[in-house]
Amino acid sequence: MRTIRFFWAVVFILTAEFAASAQRITGDWQGTIGEGRKFRVILKVEASNNGGFRADLYSIDQSSTAIPVRSLNVNGSDVTFEAPIIRGAFKGMLSADGNSLTGAWTQPNGGFVLNFVRATKETAWALDQSPHKVSFVQVDSEIKLEVLDWGGSGRPLVLLAGLGNDAHVFDVFAPKLKTNYHVYGITRRGFGASATPAPTETNYSANRLGDDIVAVLDALKLAHPVLVGHSIAGEELSSIGTRHPQRVAGLVYLDAGYHYAAYDKTPQDIGIGFGAADGKLTRPAGLRHRPFDFTATGRADFIGRC
């Protein structure tokens, strides 16, 4: 009987300790990170059904898409968690009053001070403050892509993000273009809120991704838009420009180094692998470079690199 009573006493103590920890750590937290330019970060923590915690991280100045948190542990006042999809980890200390969390954030590129304060209804930052409309366009069987529409007047301009980002990465930049263009953004398959088919070369080839963009243009009836692609989006620009030059008025390559740029005339693999995490791809699979050639069927109004 003593053994049984001792067992239940331990269970009660552990349950009480978890309940106390959960009450102190659950909720919304916010802080800033970075040197020079500061990025606002939100941490949302909930108690899970399995006796642990469920949490998401948001870098709201870069994207409103959740970054899944794993291994969130509370040991007394010590708090740790990891975000494997961005190879980040946090280690900090919860204050005695449970209203602040002081610590450090580390990633392969270095470490930064990251201090959180508990958000209230009055002080909470909005996850997505950009003035856009969000819709989803079907581009393939059971595949829908997230499309952002910031409005504006003039020729359609479509923004395509670089590797690892979704269209929300342009939330601050896009409204600055509204004076001269009607601005859109497309989140490619495998990222953000867009659908994630199986990570095969067929599903993520440059031409498949390019066809997705054309399908969105057709669905929205966007005639001769300017496509602006950052980094690896240059593959999509080159694919569309080579195969569907009549569909675009111009292509703008932002930071298009390596084999993503139109000026590289040597067809070859770019050697990008893929992996899955939380149902979302960390990077697309098997993208291949294709020489850029308008001469066969037409020519766009302009091609630019920035």
Side-chain angles (χ1 to χ4, degrees):
M1 291 294 293
R2 288 183 178 178
T3 302
I4 294 174
R5 284 198 296 268
F6 175 76
F7 171 78
W8 286 111
V10 171
V11 170
F12 176 78
I13 291 171
L14 293 177
T15 303
E17 288 181 349
F18 173 76
S21 298
Q23 186 175 11
R24 297 179 67 201
I25 195 65
T26 54
D28 293 353
W29 302 83
Q30 55 194 37
T32 57
I33 189 172
E35 296 177 356
R37 182 184 178 187
K38 300 287 187 178
F39 293 97
R40 293 174 298 166
V41 178
I42 294 176
L43 174 67
K44 290 180 171 287
V45 183
E46 301 174 348
S48 64
N49 295 330
N50 62 3
F53 299 99
R54 181 193 175 282
D56 287 314
L57 197 65
Y58 300 82
S59 180
I60 62 174
D61 294 319
Q62 296 176 294
S63 172
S64 60
T65 300
I67 303 169
V69 166
R70 293 291 176 265
S71 305
L72 193 153
N73 295 304
V74 181
N75 183 9
S77 60
D78 294 332
V79 178
T80 60
F81 64 80
E82 299 176 355
I85 198 170
I86 56 173
R87 296 187 293 168
F90 174 84
K91 183 177 182 180
M93 182 173 292
L94 189 63
S95 64
D97 63 6
N99 289 324
S100 63
L101 187 55
T102 304
W105 172 261
T106 57
Q107 283 181 279
N109 62 335
F112 303 90
V113 172
L114 177 54
N115 298 326
F116 291 100
V117 296
R118 187 181 294 277
T120 66
K121 184 178 180 180
E122 293 73 26
T123 64
W125 297 331
L127 285 179
D128 190 349
Q129 304 179 63
S130 190
H132 54 53
K133 297 178 181 178
V134 180
S135 62
F136 290 84
V137 174
Q138 185 159 345
V139 296
D140 196 6
S141 177
E142 300 182 356
I143 304 298
K144 291 185 178 181
L145 302 189
E146 179 188 42
V147 178
L148 307 183
D149 181 352
W150 283 276
S153 58
R155 185 187 294 276
L157 184 146
V158 180
L159 299 169
L160 306 175
L163 184 64
N165 294 124
D166 58 21
H168 293 276
V169 75
F170 298 112
D171 276 347
V172 175
F173 174 66
K176 302 178 186 297
L177 304 173
K178 291 169 54 177
T179 301
N180 298 311
Y181 300 94
H182 189 138
V183 186
Y184 300 86
I186 302 173
T187 298
R188 70 173 56 81
R189 59 171 66 195
F191 290 86
S194 292
T196 303
T200 66
E201 183 172 346
T202 300
N203 283 334
Y204 291 91
S205 69
N207 285 346
R208 175 62 265 178
L209 297 177
D211 288 343
D212 285 353
I213 304 305
V214 173
V216 172
L217 302 183
D218 290 343
L220 300 182
K221 297 180 171 55
L222 302 185
H224 299 99
V226 174
L227 303 185
V228 180
H230 175 230
S231 188
I232 201 171
E235 286 287 306
E236 292 154 311
L237 300 190
S238 295
S239 175
I240 294 170
T242 298
R243 298 179 301 124
H244 307 287
Q246 73 283 357
R247 292 292 286 109
V248 295
L251 305 174
V252 179
Y253 292 75
L254 302 178
D255 195 22
Y258 305 104
H259 307 295
Y260 315 147
Y263 59 77
D264 188 336
K265 299 296 184 181
T266 307
Q268 57 186 290
D269 270 332
I270 62 176
I272 290 184
F274 60 89
D278 304 301
K280 295 295 181 182
L281 291 179
T282 55
R283 56 191 65 193
L287 299 186
R288 296 179 182 275
H289 173 70
R290 176 170 182 159
F292 192 76
D293 181 12
F294 275 127
T295 58
T297 54
R299 181 173 296 275
D301 294 339
F302 69 89
I303 308 169
R305 284 197 302 118
C306 297

